[in-house]
Amino acid sequence: MPLSAKSRRPFGSHTFVTLLCGLLPVILGFAILYMQAERVLRQSTQSTADEALRQFELMLDNTAQSARELLPLAGQACNDVKLALREQVTRRPFVRSASLVLDDNLYCSSLFGDAQEKVNAGDYTQGSLWLMNGNPVTPDTALLVYRLSKGKQGALTTLDGYHLSNVLRLIGRKTLLLLQVGPNWLSTDGKVHVGALPVLPVAESKLTSSHYAFTVAAGFPEGENWRYMASEYPPLFSLLIFFGVVSGAIGHVLQKRTWSPTHEMQRALKAQEFVPYFQPVVHGDTKKWSGTEVLMRWKHPKEGMVRPDLFIPFAEHSGLIVPMTRSLMQQTAQCLGPVSQSFDSPFHIGINITASHCNDLELVKDCRAFLRAFAPGSIHLVLELTERELIKPSEITLELFEQLHALGVMIAIDDFGTGHSSLVYLRQFNVDFLKIDQSFVAMIGIDALSRHILDTIIELSVKLDLGIVAEGVETEEQSDYLTAHGVNFLQGYLFGQPMPGAEFINALTHH
Ligand code: G
Ligand code: G
Ligand code: MN
């Protein structure tokens, strides 16, 4: 378990990043597929327009060839040439009718022979092509007229719109395909419209013939991109979703790793995995239980019981120590509160606090709530503050300790002898107990200098009228020495290891 200090991240951002990891490949992939669909559709309209252009040019070649052959005949008497006209109509698949013109006057046609009709060159785009919506013979059938003229002579050949709309329909089976001649255009249904070509919404391609005066436009209706994707890409979509899920899962796991400490401890706090263990403190003279120190343990679901020195420093750094201690106090109150009536003299309950607890007055509320859970007068709440990181006297800390004292809460300096608190300090914070660090106790009978320090601390506390607790008492020799020197309270494995609540209450009642 990596328990190093890391900055805190706000709640919810984990889910957000996981979602982002999952959605990003899906969105990107989707965009790429969309562009790919657009490319495919554009290629399709380009080749459709190309094909249509070639077809129309082939048909017009046929029509134009006919006009070229007839042109020299213009001017001759209609009776002499009408058979030649009819022969063109019969022989050429794409010629529906043929006429001859002299001086802008249509005087002979394949259908009627002699005729009389004004020809207006302005009707023809570039003087050569006119897309018309039928003529008196076939009023509602599109007709493409090809005009060839030289001096006074002229020849007109027509191409039936039926062929044209057939090409539009057959080549543009899936596309919208239109034929434009000058101001008129023809749609697949064979109707001629007047005006500009409509804009084709998707993948429009326009091609203009280099031989004849016409343009073809191919395209797709609105939403074709989506229809195409829906019909062609479902397997790719499944793949995208698979990638999304994998990438989201990887993002999730990576974050869990990098965010581990704070995230893991926040989770543990919610899950009430920080539980109190209780180590008895005994009277120096009678060895009867005078109280307990509450020691935090992390009941980790995977790592088992985690010792506090592994996670407390981190909890302090991240500020989580405050809610963790609050939870510990609540659990302690729930556990010991109900048996508090049976305590015959005030039972000391020691809770470890840190400098983080002294930044505001919240601790007073926590202590008040804690005391409320016990029978009045049944306990003394002792807050243990380690000497290694003493708090600075400030307006807020002095106010805090004053309010705590008013509540009847006592203060102990923990690990005493390892730091350097002055007498002024002890007085300023109204300290009630000194807890002698176990390193001095361990040296009893071994190291003369440590024993001197120990003696000095004991003397000092007697002079200052402070209660004194010796920690880490493991042997009878240590116990006897400390008792002989007037140490009021002893704590250590000799009298009891830290134990879970149920075990502690059981031992307490049998004590
Ligand atoms: O027995 P133990 O291993 O529990 O304690 C190791 C260290 O962790 C000791 O220095 C002890 O003061 C500290 N510690 C144990 N419980 C708490 C707690 O609830 N809060 C704080 N701040 N320190 C604790
Ligand atoms: O809060 P404090 O630093 O006093 O924490 C007490 C620490 O000392 C805890 O880690 C507790 O488990 C440990 N401890 C308690 N009794 C003994 C003991 O007799 N011997 C040793 N070595 N450690 C002890
Ligand atoms: Mn302690």
Side-chain angles (χ1 to χ4, degrees):
M1 188 183 49
L3 278 170
S4 58
K6 286 253 168 71
S7 60
R8 301 173 80 180
R9 298 228 193 172
F11 265 158
S13 75
H14 183 119
T15 321
F16 176 75
V17 174
T18 301
L19 271 178
L20 203 68
C21 289
L23 285 179
L24 214 61
V26 176
I27 292 170
L28 271 178
F30 204 78
I32 290 170
L33 286 184
Y34 187 87
M35 288 190 291
Q36 174 65 14
E38 216 164 43
R39 225 167 59 96
V40 170
L41 292 180
R42 186 162 295 282
Q43 277 171 351
S44 151
T45 57
Q46 272 166 359
S47 68
T48 303
D50 204 52
E51 179 82 350
L53 190 91
R54 273 191 321 116
Q55 279 300 327
F56 288 138
E57 284 184 344
L58 277 176
M59 289 154 81
L60 277 169
D61 283 347
N62 197 259
T63 315
Q65 179 60 28
S66 179
R68 266 196 299 279
E69 282 177 20
L70 292 174
L71 187 67
L73 307 182
Q76 296 185 20
C78 189
N79 255 342
D80 299 342
V81 292
K82 71 183 175 199
L83 268 182
L85 292 182
R86 284 174 191 161
E87 189 198 347
Q88 287 296 329
V89 171
T90 317
R91 264 196 356 187
R92 302 214 175 258
F94 294 118
V95 176
R96 193 184 102 166
S97 67
S99 316
L100 291 176
V101 176
L102 192 67
D103 274 336
D104 287 337
N105 182 32
L106 188 162
Y107 73 95
C108 185
S109 87
S110 54
L111 186 58
F112 300 117
D114 285 323
Q116 247 338 310
E117 200 185 323
K118 193 88 196 117
V119 174
N120 181 7
D123 289 338
Y124 296 81
T125 307
Q126 291 172 18
S128 73
L129 274 186
W130 185 10
L131 179 63
M132 53 196 298
N133 199 13
N135 64 3
V137 183
T138 49
D140 275 323
T141 311
L143 200 64
L144 184 59
V145 189
Y146 180 80
R147 171 176 175 267
L148 190 64
S149 73
K150 190 176 171 200
K152 293 178 172 181
Q153 291 176 306
L156 301 177
T157 45
T158 65
L159 207 166
D160 200 303
Y162 173 77
H163 297 303
L164 301 175
S165 56
N166 251 356
V167 168
L168 293 182
R169 240 192 335 272
L170 293 177
I171 294 181
R173 214 177 271 277
K174 285 182 181 161
T175 40
L176 298 173
L177 190 56
L178 307 171
L179 167 67
Q180 183 191 28
V181 181
N184 303 327
W185 54 275
L186 179 71
S187 47
T188 336
D189 56 6
K191 294 236 160 41
V192 173
H193 310 261
V194 184
L197 265 184
V199 175
L200 302 176
V202 174
E204 185 183 68
S205 292
K206 273 188 182 175
L207 278 182
T208 298
S209 167
S210 53
H211 298 109
Y212 303 99
F214 74 90
T215 298
V216 290
F220 286 103
E222 198 71 72
E224 181 63 21
N225 263 342
W226 302 112
R227 273 190 290 281
Y228 180 81
M229 288 169 78
S231 72
E232 299 295 320
Y233 295 159
L236 292 177
F237 288 151
S238 325
L239 206 63
L240 273 188
I241 289 171
F242 172 75
F243 281 142
V245 169
V246 168
S247 142
I250 289 174
H252 178 76
V253 168
L254 284 183
Q255 284 180 89
K256 270 219 138 165
R257 266 203 210 158
T258 51
W259 296 9
S260 183
T262 321
H263 195 247
E264 181 58 7
M265 288 179 80
Q266 264 161 346
R267 182 200 60 73
L269 182 61
K270 267 196 198 159
Q272 290 227 333
E273 286 175 12
F274 299 109
V275 296
Y277 265 48
F278 302 92
Q279 184 178 33
V281 178
V282 303
H283 286 284
D285 42 11
T286 61
K287 306 293 184 298
K288 277 195 173 156
W289 286 18
S290 64
T292 176
E293 176 174 6
V294 181
L295 294 162
M296 196 181 294
R297 293 290 182 270
W298 185 354
K299 224 175 179 171
H300 197 280
K302 287 194 200 125
E303 314 276 338
M305 230 19 128
V306 181
R307 280 178 27 230
D309 20 342
L310 287 180
F311 65 87
I312 295 277
F314 177 74
E316 273 179 59
H317 176 88
S318 67
L320 275 176
I321 187 68
V322 175
M324 279 160 67
T325 304
R326 184 173 297 136
S327 160
L328 201 69
M329 287 172 80
Q330 285 163 356
Q331 294 178 65
T332 301
Q334 268 169 23
C335 180
L336 297 185
V339 296
S340 62
Q341 257 119 1
S342 63
F343 302 153
D344 35 10
S345 59
F347 197 68
H348 290 81
I349 300 179
I351 302 278
N352 293 288
I353 60 163
T354 65
S356 317
H357 286 96
C358 304
N359 297 330
D360 52 37
L361 300 176
E362 282 298 297
L363 188 57
V364 181
K365 280 192 214 157
D366 295 340
C367 290
R368 195 175 287 130
F370 182 82
L371 291 171
R372 226 179 279 133
F374 294 88
S378 64
I379 62 158
H380 280 317
L381 172 58
V382 185
L383 298 181
E384 300 186 10
L385 195 55
T386 176
E387 198 190 27
R388 267 175 294 222
E389 42 151 301
L390 284 176
I391 51 165
K392 292 184 190 69
S394 70
E395 217 167 288
I396 191 86
T397 51
L398 291 173
E399 170 73 17
L400 173 69
F401 282 87
E402 205 172 297
Q403 291 200 20
L404 287 173
H405 265 289
L407 261 187
V409 174
M410 299 172 127
I411 305 297
I413 300 296
D414 208 354
D415 311 311
F416 194 78
T418 58
H420 31 258
S421 50
S422 64
L423 297 181
V424 179
Y425 189 94
L426 298 180
R427 184 148 313 129
Q428 225 164 5
F429 286 111
N430 257 317
V431 170
D432 302 281
F433 294 98
L434 296 184
K435 291 191 78 170
I436 302 173
D437 190 70
Q438 54 196 41
S439 58
F440 300 111
V441 175
M443 287 302 162
I444 291 174
I446 297 174
D447 182 74
L449 178 62
S450 292
R451 218 198 57 219
H452 274 305
I453 299 177
L454 183 67
D455 293 346
T456 315
I457 294 173
I458 296 170
E459 258 171 57
L460 174 74
S461 59
V462 170
K463 278 187 190 137
L464 292 178
D465 197 21
L466 298 178
I468 184 159
V469 187
E471 289 187 299
V473 182
E474 293 181 356
T475 64
E476 290 289 351
E477 185 193 357
Q478 292 164 349
S479 170
D480 293 343
Y481 183 91
L482 292 163
T483 311
H485 285 75
V487 173
N488 325 69
F489 302 102
L490 305 175
Q491 178 183 349
Y493 294 162
L494 183 63
F495 312 105
Q497 301 232 350
M499 57 191 101
E503 197 181 315
F504 181 77
I505 289 178
N506 192 31
L508 185 65
T509 45
H510 288 98
H511 199 71

